[in-house]
Amino acid sequence: MKTGLWLLLVAGVVAGPGWYIYARFFSGQLLASHPLQQSAAVQSITQTVSLDQGPIGIVLKGNIGGRRFGPENRADFAIEVRQNGQLLSKEVLVFVDAKTASDTAPDRTPNRLGLAPITLTRGGTLEISVTATGEQSLPVHELMLDIRGGVRPSPMHWLLAGALLAVGAAIMLILGSRR
């Protein structure tokens, strides 16, 4: 019985958060990787894509070093993706870092942020603009923009809900069986 409960727990974690992380940041094929600067000046990147390379994933990667004590520090980046002048996606991605004296958890600050997958209606040239916005109180090192082709869409909401339900049920059953 306990083996089945642990399998339910693992299946819930893999089906929910695991699938989301894989689909958003690692699926598909790397088409290009471009180094960026943490600058308020607009940085423009162009990438030619074909229709069969879609959906396209845009991933912003960076290294913020270790967590520091003190107030929240952040670095906001506005990203716009256009194809032939038509806006396909516009989002602000935020690196955040903060730690208090009572926070004993290891570093959980994300080093990858991604746009929702972009569905292509035709091939052509993507124009991607990246701009550091706001105060920029957090220095981001090794800033890169990855363009991925053939990314998997994020899981449906019912799959995430089912996965979370499986995780919760497994935890409750495991804890209940220990009594």
Side-chain angles (χ1 to χ4, degrees):
M1 172 91 173
K2 284 191 177 187
T3 303
L5 296 176
W6 285 106
L7 287 174
L8 182 63
L9 178 67
V10 170
V13 170
V14 169
W19 178 260
Y20 175 82
I21 292 168
Y22 165 74
R24 182 61 66 100
F25 303 114
F26 300 104
S27 70
Q29 175 185 358
L30 182 65
L31 301 177
S33 189
H34 301 276
L36 298 173
Q37 299 297 319
Q38 188 171 357
S39 167
V42 176
Q43 299 171 76
S44 297
I45 297 164
T46 58
Q47 178 68 41
T48 303
V49 294
S50 60
L51 185 58
D52 65 335
Q53 289 177 315
I56 299 295
I58 307 292
V59 178
L60 186 63
K61 302 185 307 187
N63 181 0
I64 62 169
R67 296 175 73 189
R68 290 164 289 285
F69 289 100
E72 177 180 280
N73 293 304
R74 58 188 290 148
D76 299 28
F77 294 91
I79 299 179
E80 283 189 15
V81 181
R82 297 180 179 273
Q83 185 178 33
N84 301 326
Q86 178 184 0
L87 183 65
L88 299 179
S89 181
K90 180 178 181 179
E91 292 187 43
V92 175
L93 301 178
V94 181
F95 289 97
V96 178
D97 181 34
K99 182 175 181 179
T100 64
S102 64
D103 188 359
T104 59
D107 189 358
R108 294 177 305 228
T109 307
N111 61 359
R112 292 174 186 266
L113 304 169
L115 300 178
I118 300 168
T119 303
L120 298 176
T121 56
R122 64 184 178 276
T125 302
L126 295 178
E127 299 97 24
I128 304 165
S129 65
V130 180
T131 309
T133 62
E135 187 179 317
Q136 297 294 310
S137 59
L138 177 66
V140 181
H141 309 283
E142 302 166 14
L143 192 61
M144 299 288 288
L145 184 82
D146 286 352
I147 303 169
R148 304 188 73 81
V151 299
R152 300 205 182 266
S154 295
M156 289 70 69
H157 294 293
W158 63 265
L159 178 63
L160 284 176
L164 291 175
L165 182 62
V167 168
I171 290 172
M172 291 177 69
L173 290 170
I174 289 169
L175 292 175
S177 69
R178 291 186 175 201
R179 290 185 177 194

